[in-house]
Amino acid sequence: MVADRQRGGGASDPDPGPGEDRKPHPDEAHSAFAPPPGVPLPAPPEEEHPTSEFALPQGVTAEPESGPEVSAFSRPGGAPLHPAFTPPYGIPKVSLVKEAPWQDRMRTMLRMPVGERPVPDRPEKQEEAGPPVPRVLDLTLRIGELLLAGGEGAEDVEAAMFGVAHAYGLARCEPTVTFTLLTVSYQPSLIDDPVTANRTVRRRGTDYTRLNAVYRLVHDITSQGLTLEEAYGRLAEIRRNRHPYPGWALTLASGLLAGAASLLVGGSLVVFLAAAAGAMLGDRLAWLAAGRGLPEFYQFVAAAMPPAAMGVALSATHGYVHVQASAVITGGLFALIPGRALVAGVQDGLTGYYITAAARLLEVGYLIVGIVCGVLVVLYGGVHIGGGTLNPEAALERQERPVIQIIAAMLLAFAFAVLLQQERHTVWVATLNGGVAWVVYGALADTIEADPVPATAVAAGLVGLFGQLFARTRHASALPYVTAAIGPLLPGSAVYFALLNFAKNELNTGISSLTKAAALALAIAIGVNLGSEMAGMFLKVPGPSRRAAKRTRGF
């Protein structure tokens, strides 16, 4: 009896009386499906683990697995139908070495689909929820604005913007650049709402010192991991910096450029001084027009008139002083031809940014029309009022003066570099690059008498190649090393001949000269771009291959 009470729970649980039902203890509770007392339990099944009704019947063996599981929407063999879907074997890892220039690394990633880009390896603190997306996008847009306003190509601007956003942890980021609009969109994941910001470029200026400073900032962000506060501080300092050369130095550089260009086409010392005086007067008139708020078109009209007037005035004194007036006007045109915008426009077209390329080329067209208007007004008066003393054939008398022409080409490149507000340590590199370009052009066009168009393309290709190599070693923009160096190759003579023939009402000859000028300009732009692409053969390009977008081939 004592033992039964101990099993039942002790003295606190008395036995129920004869008329009371015994309540089960919690440990003794059973399911409603349990057999009642006295009924034996059924025999256990033969298999302890029951199988699903979809299991294979007995005697049927499963086929061996030949490979990893593939999607039902895949082609036979496991190849996905569209590269946007994740492949069944996973996405191959792309190794982007840190030693490579950030331009090549970011271009490689830009040309990948969004889903195949490697995840940023920037370490994040555990207590932080994530990068401040609005501030990162704002910094990205401000850096892109400075680059685009400074004349950088659309692809390089996008690469810089993507590099900044990627460095701060925004992997799924898409920058878009047009001629005046910058847009960047970030989507954290496929189920989150995207965040989009844009910025408009309203003012453009030529300051390659500021451009190189922005490039160094992007390099430090992508390679050294600057914080947002440090990057904003550096950006504000870049914006506050003044131009390295004052206005009077730019005016003198404009005169030096025109005088050196007149020596290239056979001018003398008197022609050098006359061309320099006309260019400096035109530069001051252009500054006056800009101070009055006139558009750039009218600034070019004002800048083109004094050199042309100087040439017409000197041609009227041919009975007293023997001066090659055509060389004076040609030198003044060298200082006005928008070679920088032309090269950038053709480069954008060759890299697939057709909207930006069309806008840049349209800008070049407007500026050239302004030059045409300014020069034609003066030439028309000189030809029809002054007795038609201007002779386009006079400027075609090529003289064998290689030493003088090489020195003139280097002086032209030097003056062009000053006008572009380049850093002082880049001026001598651009000067030497311009001298090399003229030596190559002279060897092809004068020594072996090759056609000027392919000779110009070859010389411009070497300029682009050397410029890219210099820029990659310094993690800087290639424009300071390229733009000034192509100055001696600009088609100033062909443009002048076209305008003079138009003024003399010789339309067929004028159109022929204008077509030649356009061919030379395109040869310069294509040569520079081809030389830049060839620089990849001498540099370590990250990734297995830098894929470009596929284009249609006539269908």
Side-chain angles (χ1 to χ4, degrees), residues 365-523:
Y366 272 108
L367 298 182
I368 291 179
V369 169
I371 298 173
V372 169
C373 293
V375 175
L376 274 183
V377 170
V378 178
L379 290 184
Y380 185 84
V383 170
H384 294 275
I385 299 176
T389 56
L390 289 173
N391 183 16
E393 304 299 331
L396 292 177
E397 298 176 359
R398 298 291 299 273
Q399 302 177 10
E400 295 295 334
R401 321 184 286 178
V403 177
I404 295 179
Q405 289 180 336
I406 292 174
I407 295 176
M410 296 179 68
L411 286 177
L412 193 153
F414 172 80
F416 207 167
V418 174
L419 286 175
L420 294 174
Q421 301 279 3
Q422 294 187 193
E423 294 175 309
R424 289 175 173 82
H425 70 272
T426 64
V427 171
W428 67 270
V429 179
T431 302
L432 292 178
N433 207 6
V436 171
W438 183 258
V439 169
V440 174
Y441 173 79
L444 295 176
D446 296 336
T447 304
I448 66 176
E449 297 182 354
D451 188 82
V453 175
T456 301
V458 173
L462 290 177
V463 168
L465 174 61
F466 294 153
Q468 285 290 338
L469 293 178
F470 276 116
R472 290 300 191 269
T473 56
R474 296 178 177 270
H475 300 283
S477 172
L479 290 182
Y481 305 100
V482 172
T483 307
I486 65 172
L489 305 176
L490 293 176
S493 300
V495 173
Y496 166 69
F497 296 155
L499 299 182
L500 183 56
N501 286 310
F502 286 151
K504 298 178 69 173
N505 206 18
E506 298 177 1
L507 299 182
N508 293 333
T509 308
I511 292 175
S512 177
S513 298
L514 194 61
T515 303
K516 180 181 178 180
L520 291 173
L522 290 177

Side-chain angles (χ1 to χ4, degrees), residues 92-171:
K93 182 179 180 180
V94 179
S95 177
L96 299 176
V97 293
K98 290 285 187 180
E99 291 77 12
W102 66 263
Q103 297 98 315
D104 294 329
R105 288 189 281 121
M106 293 307 121
R107 284 178 182 173
T108 302
M109 297 180 66
L110 270 178
R111 296 183 179 185
M112 292 180 182
V114 179
E116 297 184 13
R117 294 173 182 171
V119 180
D121 54 357
R122 182 180 178 88
E124 296 183 3
K125 297 181 180 179
Q126 297 296 330
E127 62 269 13
E128 293 181 356
V133 175
R135 295 195 68 195
V136 172
L137 296 184
D138 178 71
L139 177 66
T140 301
L141 289 173
R142 290 179 183 274
I143 290 177
E145 178 190 12
L146 288 179
L147 293 177
L148 187 62
E152 192 61 80
E155 185 178 29
D156 292 328
V157 176
E158 282 195 2
M161 294 173 63
F162 180 77
V164 173
H166 189 271
Y168 288 113
L170 306 188

Side-chain angles (χ1 to χ4, degrees), residues 192-204:
D192 293 326
D193 295 331
V195 181
T196 303
N198 55 57
R199 196 173 183 88
T200 303
V201 178
R202 303 189 183 278
R203 295 186 60 186
R204 298 177 182 273

Side-chain angles (χ1 to χ4, degrees), residues 24 28-37 39 41:
E28 299 176 358
H30 300 284
S31 173
F33 298 96
V39 178
L41 296 175

Side-chain angles (χ1 to χ4, degrees), residues 127-261:
E127 62 269 13
E128 293 181 356
V133 175
R135 295 195 68 195
V136 172
L137 296 184
D138 178 71
L139 177 66
T140 301
L141 289 173
R142 290 179 183 274
I143 290 177
E145 178 190 12
L146 288 179
L147 293 177
L148 187 62
E152 192 61 80
E155 185 178 29
D156 292 328
V157 176
E158 282 195 2
M161 294 173 63
F162 180 77
V164 173
H166 189 271
Y168 288 113
L170 306 188
R172 303 179 60 87
C173 183
E174 285 294 338
T176 304
V177 175
T178 58
F179 184 57
T180 58
L181 183 65
L182 298 167
T183 304
V184 58
S185 179
Y186 170 65
Q187 188 176 16
S189 65
L190 294 177
I191 60 174
D192 293 326
D193 295 331
V195 181
T196 303
N198 55 57
R199 196 173 183 88
T200 303
V201 178
R202 303 189 183 278
R203 295 186 60 186
R204 298 177 182 273
T206 304
D207 189 345
Y208 283 178
T209 300
R210 179 177 297 176
L211 190 68
N212 264 344
V214 177
Y215 261 74
R216 286 192 293 269
L217 174 60
V218 176
H219 170 67
D220 293 342
I221 291 175
T222 56
S223 302
Q224 300 180 8
L226 293 181
T227 63
L228 277 175
E229 288 73 17
E230 294 173 344
Y232 266 109
R234 291 268 300 272
L235 187 63
E237 183 180 355
I238 291 172
R239 287 180 173 273
R240 286 194 302 265
N241 285 342
R242 299 177 60 88
H243 298 306
Y245 306 106
W248 61 267
L250 299 181
T251 301
L252 290 178
S254 178
L256 179 62
L257 192 154

Side-chain angles (χ1 to χ4, degrees), residues 63-71 77-78 88-89:
E63 296 181 0
E65 296 183 359
S66 58
E69 183 181 356
V70 298
S71 172
Y89 300 98

